[in-house]
Amino acid sequence: MAKYRNEWKYICSDWDLKLLESRLSGVLQKDKHAGGDGSYSVRSLYFDDYANTCAKQNEAGLPERYKWRIRYYGGGTSKHIHLEFKRKHNGRGIKKSCKLSEEECRNLIAGEPEKVFWSTGEDLLKQFCIAIMNRRFEPKAIIDYDRCAFVEPTTNIRITMDRNISASKDFDKFLSGDYIKIPIQNDDQHVLEVKFNDILPSYLQNIINTYERQQSSFSKYYFGRKKLEGLI
């Protein structure tokens, strides 16, 4: 059964991330998705309803939030596409996911959930189809970035460094990756995320808390929407 996990976020400079990467490489292993340079691309298509509820929850700083997104990693002809539902409660997050075919993905993007609902046995996917039909969920922003990730599998700790975060509204090009990318941060701003279940070991706390970094509530989706459309 999935459980809520702690999610700490920080805004860091490129120099800061390089220092962290050097220190973490001595105590943690790189994520299995990493390429030759130790990183991989993450491409997510976020959906929101007719009232922009998900974006407004972030804008208001509500302790209870949720998001629907479709995500895949990297490019190539063989993509592993997932539908993800993410809920946050007082800074802790829980995520549910299921696989999608390219055809299912295209139908959801086109606003044709009825073509998916009757052919799938995935409960999560059925719930999303109902959300599209009842609350008019539709694509709002593609969020694209390069990720370097460190993991500790035994205790399920995951530390990610996300660079070159950008947004796009070329939804029909989401699966090809051939869309215009608009940066949503300054060149020397990146995002560090630390995810763990219960307790973060002291040796990792000491590395993360170097220079007294301040936690942030930064939301890639919300700031992507702001960049694309102005204030929600």
Side-chain angles (χ1 to χ4, degrees), residues 7-24:
E7 297 186 0
W8 297 352
K9 295 183 181 181
Y10 306 83
I11 305 299
C12 298
S13 67
D14 191 55
W15 179 88
D16 198 7
L17 284 194
K18 287 179 180 178
L19 177 62
L20 280 170
E21 190 170 357
S22 175
R23 293 180 174 179
L24 289 171

mmCIF file of all heavy atoms in Angstrom, residues 7-24:
data_model
loop_
_atom_site.group_PDB
_atom_site.id
_atom_site.type_symbol
_atom_site.label_atom_id
_atom_site.label_comp_id
_atom_site.label_asym_id
_atom_site.label_seq_id
_atom_site.Cartn_x
_atom_site.Cartn_y
_atom_site.Cartn_z
ATOM 1 N N GLU A 7 8.544 15.382 1.340
ATOM 2 C CA GLU A 7 9.082 15.981 0.126
ATOM 3 C C GLU A 7 9.633 17.365 0.453
ATOM 4 O O GLU A 7 8.871 18.295 0.694
ATOM 5 C CB GLU A 7 8.004 16.076 -0.962
ATOM 6 C CG GLU A 7 7.473 14.725 -1.430
ATOM 7 C CD GLU A 7 6.516 14.843 -2.597
ATOM 8 O OE1 GLU A 7 6.274 15.980 -3.043
ATOM 9 O OE2 GLU A 7 6.001 13.812 -3.052
ATOM 10 N N TRP A 8 10.947 17.469 0.488
ATOM 11 C CA TRP A 8 11.603 18.748 0.750
ATOM 12 C C TRP A 8 12.123 19.310 -0.567
ATOM 13 O O TRP A 8 12.759 18.611 -1.345
ATOM 14 C CB TRP A 8 12.775 18.576 1.710
ATOM 15 C CG TRP A 8 12.397 18.094 3.082
ATOM 16 C CD1 TRP A 8 11.140 17.940 3.584
ATOM 17 C CD2 TRP A 8 13.297 17.695 4.117
ATOM 18 N NE1 TRP A 8 11.192 17.469 4.871
ATOM 19 C CE2 TRP A 8 12.497 17.311 5.239
ATOM 20 C CE3 TRP A 8 14.682 17.618 4.227
ATOM 21 C CZ2 TRP A 8 13.056 16.869 6.435
ATOM 22 C CZ3 TRP A 8 15.247 17.183 5.418
ATOM 23 C CH2 TRP A 8 14.445 16.819 6.514
ATOM 24 N N LYS A 9 11.867 20.587 -0.819
ATOM 25 C CA LYS A 9 12.315 21.232 -2.050
ATOM 26 C C LYS A 9 13.180 22.443 -1.725
ATOM 27 O O LYS A 9 12.944 23.149 -0.743
ATOM 28 C CB LYS A 9 11.117 21.688 -2.893
ATOM 29 C CG LYS A 9 10.254 20.564 -3.421
ATOM 30 C CD LYS A 9 9.137 21.108 -4.297
ATOM 31 C CE LYS A 9 8.236 20.014 -4.822
ATOM 32 N NZ LYS A 9 7.172 20.552 -5.697
ATOM 33 N N TYR A 10 14.167 22.689 -2.604
ATOM 34 C CA TYR A 10 15.065 23.825 -2.439
ATOM 35 C C TYR A 10 15.375 24.414 -3.820
ATOM 36 O O TYR A 10 15.472 23.673 -4.802
ATOM 37 C CB TYR A 10 16.395 23.407 -1.796
ATOM 38 C CG TYR A 10 16.266 22.654 -0.494
ATOM 39 C CD1 TYR A 10 16.032 21.281 -0.488
ATOM 40 C CD2 TYR A 10 16.398 23.311 0.728
ATOM 41 C CE1 TYR A 10 15.921 20.570 0.696
ATOM 42 C CE2 TYR A 10 16.296 22.609 1.921
ATOM 43 C CZ TYR A 10 16.052 21.241 1.906
ATOM 44 O OH TYR A 10 15.944 20.547 3.096
ATOM 45 N N ILE A 11 15.532 25.725 -3.895
ATOM 46 C CA ILE A 11 16.011 26.386 -5.100
ATOM 47 C C ILE A 11 17.516 26.559 -4.955
ATOM 48 O O ILE A 11 17.987 27.154 -3.982
ATOM 49 C CB ILE A 11 15.338 27.757 -5.312
ATOM 50 C CG1 ILE A 11 13.810 27.613 -5.319
ATOM 51 C CG2 ILE A 11 15.831 28.396 -6.605
ATOM 52 C CD1 ILE A 11 13.276 26.730 -6.416
ATOM 53 N N CYS A 12 18.269 26.029 -5.912
ATOM 54 C CA CYS A 12 19.728 26.025 -5.801
ATOM 55 C C CYS A 12 20.376 26.587 -7.064
ATOM 56 O O CYS A 12 19.811 26.509 -8.157
ATOM 57 C CB CYS A 12 20.242 24.596 -5.589
ATOM 58 S SG CYS A 12 19.661 23.783 -4.083
ATOM 59 N N SER A 13 21.587 27.082 -6.908
ATOM 60 C CA SER A 13 22.375 27.538 -8.047
ATOM 61 C C SER A 13 23.060 26.337 -8.692
ATOM 62 O O SER A 13 23.117 25.242 -8.122
ATOM 63 C CB SER A 13 23.436 28.543 -7.592
ATOM 64 O OG SER A 13 24.407 27.882 -6.778
ATOM 65 N N ASP A 14 23.607 26.542 -9.878
ATOM 66 C CA ASP A 14 24.314 25.466 -10.565
ATOM 67 C C ASP A 14 25.541 25.036 -9.775
ATOM 68 O O ASP A 14 25.827 23.840 -9.645
ATOM 69 C CB ASP A 14 24.721 25.931 -11.962
ATOM 70 C CG ASP A 14 25.215 24.787 -12.828
ATOM 71 O OD1 ASP A 14 24.472 23.796 -12.989
ATOM 72 O OD2 ASP A 14 26.346 24.862 -13.333
ATOM 73 N N TRP A 15 26.257 25.996 -9.223
ATOM 74 C CA TRP A 15 27.442 25.686 -8.407
ATOM 75 C C TRP A 15 27.062 24.856 -7.197
ATOM 76 O O TRP A 15 27.741 23.888 -6.836
ATOM 77 C CB TRP A 15 28.104 26.990 -7.954
ATOM 78 C CG TRP A 15 29.317 26.769 -7.086
ATOM 79 C CD1 TRP A 15 30.613 26.600 -7.504
ATOM 80 C CD2 TRP A 15 29.341 26.690 -5.656
ATOM 81 N NE1 TRP A 15 31.441 26.411 -6.423
ATOM 82 C CE2 TRP A 15 30.694 26.460 -5.275
ATOM 83 C CE3 TRP A 15 28.374 26.788 -4.658
ATOM 84 C CZ2 TRP A 15 31.084 26.334 -3.939
ATOM 85 C CZ3 TRP A 15 28.762 26.649 -3.333
ATOM 86 C CH2 TRP A 15 30.095 26.434 -2.985
ATOM 87 N N ASP A 16 25.953 25.197 -6.571
ATOM 88 C CA ASP A 16 25.469 24.484 -5.396
ATOM 89 C C ASP A 16 25.139 23.029 -5.732
ATOM 90 O O ASP A 16 25.500 22.094 -5.006
ATOM 91 C CB ASP A 16 24.231 25.195 -4.837
ATOM 92 C CG ASP A 16 23.935 24.804 -3.406
ATOM 93 O OD1 ASP A 16 24.753 24.095 -2.797
ATOM 94 O OD2 ASP A 16 22.878 25.209 -2.892
ATOM 95 N N LEU A 17 24.453 22.822 -6.862
ATOM 96 C CA LEU A 17 24.089 21.457 -7.253
ATOM 97 C C LEU A 17 25.325 20.630 -7.591
ATOM 98 O O LEU A 17 25.380 19.433 -7.292
ATOM 99 C CB LEU A 17 23.140 21.477 -8.444
ATOM 100 C CG LEU A 17 21.676 21.854 -8.175
ATOM 101 C CD1 LEU A 17 20.818 21.488 -9.380
ATOM 102 C CD2 LEU A 17 21.127 21.166 -6.937
ATOM 103 N N LYS A 18 26.312 21.235 -8.235
ATOM 104 C CA LYS A 18 27.534 20.502 -8.559
ATOM 105 C C LYS A 18 28.249 20.057 -7.290
ATOM 106 O O LYS A 18 28.787 18.942 -7.222
ATOM 107 C CB LYS A 18 28.450 21.369 -9.415
ATOM 108 C CG LYS A 18 27.956 21.548 -10.842
ATOM 109 C CD LYS A 18 28.890 22.428 -11.642
ATOM 110 C CE LYS A 18 28.375 22.589 -13.077
ATOM 111 N NZ LYS A 18 29.241 23.487 -13.881
ATOM 112 N N LEU A 19 28.252 20.907 -6.273
ATOM 113 C CA LEU A 19 28.857 20.549 -4.997
ATOM 114 C C LEU A 19 28.090 19.400 -4.344
ATOM 115 O O LEU A 19 28.696 18.422 -3.864
ATOM 116 C CB LEU A 19 28.872 21.762 -4.067
ATOM 117 C CG LEU A 19 29.419 21.533 -2.649
ATOM 118 C CD1 LEU A 19 30.879 21.103 -2.709
ATOM 119 C CD2 LEU A 19 29.272 22.800 -1.807
ATOM 120 N N LEU A 20 26.768 19.485 -4.344
ATOM 121 C CA LEU A 20 25.946 18.417 -3.779
ATOM 122 C C LEU A 20 26.130 17.110 -4.536
ATOM 123 O O LEU A 20 26.230 16.034 -3.932
ATOM 124 C CB LEU A 20 24.469 18.824 -3.815
ATOM 125 C CG LEU A 20 23.974 19.748 -2.719
ATOM 126 C CD1 LEU A 20 22.573 20.245 -3.046
ATOM 127 C CD2 LEU A 20 23.967 19.035 -1.382
ATOM 128 N N GLU A 21 26.171 17.205 -5.851
ATOM 129 C CA GLU A 21 26.334 16.009 -6.673
ATOM 130 C C GLU A 21 27.649 15.301 -6.351
ATOM 131 O O GLU A 21 27.708 14.069 -6.261
ATOM 132 C CB GLU A 21 26.287 16.395 -8.152
ATOM 133 C CG GLU A 21 26.200 15.222 -9.096
ATOM 134 C CD GLU A 21 25.920 15.652 -10.527
ATOM 135 O OE1 GLU A 21 25.737 16.861 -10.766
ATOM 136 O OE2 GLU A 21 25.896 14.759 -11.392
ATOM 137 N N SER A 22 28.693 16.089 -6.149
ATOM 138 C CA SER A 22 29.992 15.512 -5.813
ATOM 139 C C SER A 22 29.948 14.791 -4.463
ATOM 140 O O SER A 22 30.482 13.685 -4.324
ATOM 141 C CB SER A 22 31.046 16.622 -5.781
ATOM 142 O OG SER A 22 32.289 16.119 -5.343
ATOM 143 N N ARG A 23 29.271 15.383 -3.494
ATOM 144 C CA ARG A 23 29.219 14.785 -2.157
ATOM 145 C C ARG A 23 28.281 13.575 -2.105
ATOM 146 O O ARG A 23 28.572 12.572 -1.453
ATOM 147 C CB ARG A 23 28.793 15.844 -1.132
ATOM 148 C CG ARG A 23 29.834 16.938 -0.942
ATOM 149 C CD ARG A 23 29.411 17.970 0.069
ATOM 150 N NE ARG A 23 30.486 18.916 0.330
ATOM 151 C CZ ARG A 23 30.392 19.939 1.164
ATOM 152 N NH1 ARG A 23 29.253 20.169 1.810
ATOM 153 N NH2 ARG A 23 31.422 20.744 1.343
ATOM 154 N N LEU A 24 27.155 13.667 -2.797
ATOM 155 C CA LEU A 24 26.194 12.557 -2.768
ATOM 156 C C LEU A 24 26.705 11.331 -3.522
ATOM 157 O O LEU A 24 26.352 10.199 -3.183
ATOM 158 C CB LEU A 24 24.863 13.008 -3.365
ATOM 159 C CG LEU A 24 24.046 13.995 -2.526
ATOM 160 C CD1 LEU A 24 22.866 14.516 -3.332
ATOM 161 C CD2 LEU A 24 23.562 13.351 -1.234
#
